Amino acid sequence: MPLVRVLALCVPLAAIHLAATAADCGCAPITDLSVQSRTGWRTDWTVQLPVDGSRFTVTHVVVEDDFVIAQTSDGGLHLIDSADGPTRGTIRWSRKIGAPYKSMHPASSSPTFVMVATDQEVHCLRRKDGTTAFTERMPDLVEASPAEADGFIYVPTTGGSIERLPANRVVDPSPSVGISSGGTVRSAPLPLGQQAIGWITTNGTVVALQPFAATRQRSTVQLPSPSAGRPIMSGDDLFVATTVGDLVRLRLRRTTPLGLEPAWRMPLPGRPDGSMILDGEMLFVSLGLDGLVALDARTGGIRWRANGPALRFREGMGLVAAGGGRLWCVDPVGRLSLLDAATGRRVGCVPLGDFTPAAVTGKPGRLVLSRPDGRLTSLSPAG
């Protein structure tokens, strides 16, 4: 690119007024050390996935507390260690599941398994080494990857059924049992605490199954509208944004009567776009063209709302990470915008270059970026 053209791009960005401690809007990407020193975030690791970047791409990235699962269009499933320690940032294992370009749902995980669904099959791999625990064919097409709870695997399928099968197929190879889901379920079920399981139908019904004596007690809560994006589970609390523009906090009762009960419901100043992150006692919700809002997770009270041209997010953009007193968003022109988490004030922006945000985790303290050639970079707050 000619020097004159580079300057023409950089000078207007550099003219944007920022606080002295803010990240600049120059041409240096987030992976640049000088930019990281100003943003307060640092690179934890960068890995190159074992994939032919000229033919295949990264399709899904799932971020958990101590590992990252990356899926690639060649049928690859890769687990990267992100826990503190000498193996941090290394690929623990890679597997091929199915043929190239075959549809795969985003993977899910449990303390025992990494699970992924393709068409009518569920593949359960041992988390420690990626070896196959079992592959099970379901009676119908699978709508989303499964979840594990209380020794069972729960798989949402077409036709309004949740298929339940024992997690230890060596000890108990009995066939799956269909449970009425109460509607169509197109996202992975939600482990609720240690033993309960739940799911949300496309019409906004929240269903919970809790062990009770020798059975499982079923309870339901009807939301005012379908959920927007994946809910956040924290302890016994479930935070759900709805398409009508509400945020609902549900609490799982551990004593009789069992079930989910509403803790509070807060109307939002806009419609959620599905991006939501809980950081401590602050809950941040992206509102698409209506900006961004922060709420007190305990009470539902709105702490602040940020709006304006730089914070009106198009589809697929918006809130991507939080932590260290900062929020990261993708602005309308494809840059990373940095906000003060306490006030919502915009304090900087950084070009993404050839990276794209790979996942909105719902977990604070992690920003994962991916490149088309299969390179992943993970960042977290410094200090």
Side-chain angles (χ1 to χ4, degrees):
M1 182 181 292
L3 178 60
V4 172
R5 188 178 175 190
V6 172
L7 292 175
L9 289 172
C10 294
V11 170
L13 296 177
I16 297 175
H17 175 71
L18 297 174
T21 58
D24 64 35
C25 282
C27 294
I30 184 62
T31 50
D32 186 273
L33 292 179
S34 64
V35 172
Q36 293 186 26
S37 68
R38 290 191 294 273
T39 64
W41 281 52
R42 66 185 178 195
T43 298
D44 292 325
W45 49 261
T46 296
V47 299
Q48 176 65 52
L49 300 176
V51 60
D52 182 351
S54 65
R55 299 173 56 206
F56 304 107
T57 61
V58 177
T59 55
H60 305 294
V61 175
V62 178
V63 180
E64 299 293 351
D65 289 332
D66 57 356
F67 62 94
V68 171
I69 303 167
Q71 295 166 253
T72 48
S73 58
D74 62 347
L77 196 66
H78 317 271
L79 189 140
I80 302 149
D81 194 339
S82 61
D84 291 335
T87 61
R88 186 180 195 180
T90 60
I91 300 175
R92 191 184 303 174
W93 51 260
S94 292
R95 286 287 312 277
K96 290 288 184 66
I97 304 295
Y101 302 111
K102 186 176 182 179
S103 176
M104 275 198 302
H105 293 290
S108 56
S109 67
S110 71
T112 308
F113 299 122
V114 169
M115 299 164 283
V116 66
T118 59
D119 297 331
Q120 280 187 251
E121 289 185 333
V122 170
H123 304 265
C124 287
L125 312 179
R126 295 179 182 90
R127 207 176 86 175
K128 62 179 180 179
D129 57 13
T131 56
T132 298
F134 63 88
T135 297
E136 196 84 12
R137 187 169 180 83
M138 295 290 104
D140 292 297
L141 289 173
V142 179
E143 293 279 20
S145 288
E148 181 183 6
D150 195 29
F152 288 89
I153 304 293
Y154 292 84
V155 187
T157 63
T158 57
S161 177
I162 300 286
E163 295 293 322
R164 183 179 68 202
L165 61 152
N168 192 335
R169 305 301 282 151
V170 175
V171 174
D172 188 351
S174 58
S176 63
V177 175
I179 302 170
S180 174
S181 59
T184 302
V185 179
R186 293 203 172 99
S187 59
L190 303 161
L192 304 176
Q194 296 296 317
Q195 296 179 309
I197 193 77
W199 58 84
I200 301 180
T201 68
T202 54
N203 65 3
T205 303
V206 185
V207 181
L209 292 180
Q210 291 175 268
F212 180 71
T215 64
R216 288 171 180 80
Q217 183 165 315
R218 182 183 180 117
S219 60
T220 62
V221 173
Q222 183 61 52
L223 299 174
S225 67
S227 64
R230 187 165 174 82
I232 292 176
M233 189 71 194
S234 177
D236 289 340
D237 292 317
L238 185 67
F239 298 90
V240 188
T242 71
T243 57
V244 78
D246 285 338
L247 190 68
V248 180
R249 178 180 178 178
L250 304 174
R251 181 166 295 141
L252 187 70
R253 291 193 299 262
R254 298 291 184 178
T255 57
T256 54
L258 302 177
L260 288 164
E261 61 180 354
W264 49 255
R265 173 183 170 186
M266 175 60 65
L268 298 172
R271 293 181 180 273
D273 67 3
S275 304
M276 182 166 61
I277 296 178
L278 178 66
D279 186 7
E281 294 187 351
M282 290 279 280
L283 187 63
F284 304 102
V285 184
S286 179
L287 303 176
L289 293 175
D290 294 310
L292 187 69
V293 65
L295 299 94
D296 187 314
R298 297 168 300 176
T299 65
I302 293 178
R303 295 277 190 91
W304 53 258
R305 179 192 176 187
N307 205 345
L311 292 172
R312 292 172 183 164
F313 310 121
R314 300 199 305 268
E315 184 178 356
M317 297 186 178
L319 180 66
V320 293
R326 293 287 185 261
L327 302 179
W328 288 104
C329 306
V330 180
D331 71 15
V333 297
R335 299 171 304 196
L336 279 171
S337 283
L338 186 63
L339 279 66
D340 185 300
T343 65
R345 182 175 62 91
R346 186 171 179 268
V347 296
C349 64
V350 182
L352 275 167
D354 54 358
F355 283 97
T356 58
V360 179
T361 67
K363 299 176 183 294
R366 186 72 56 80
L367 173 61
V368 179
L369 306 175
S370 69
R371 288 197 336 191
D373 63 0
R375 180 172 296 184
L376 292 184
T377 293
S378 176
L379 300 101
S380 66

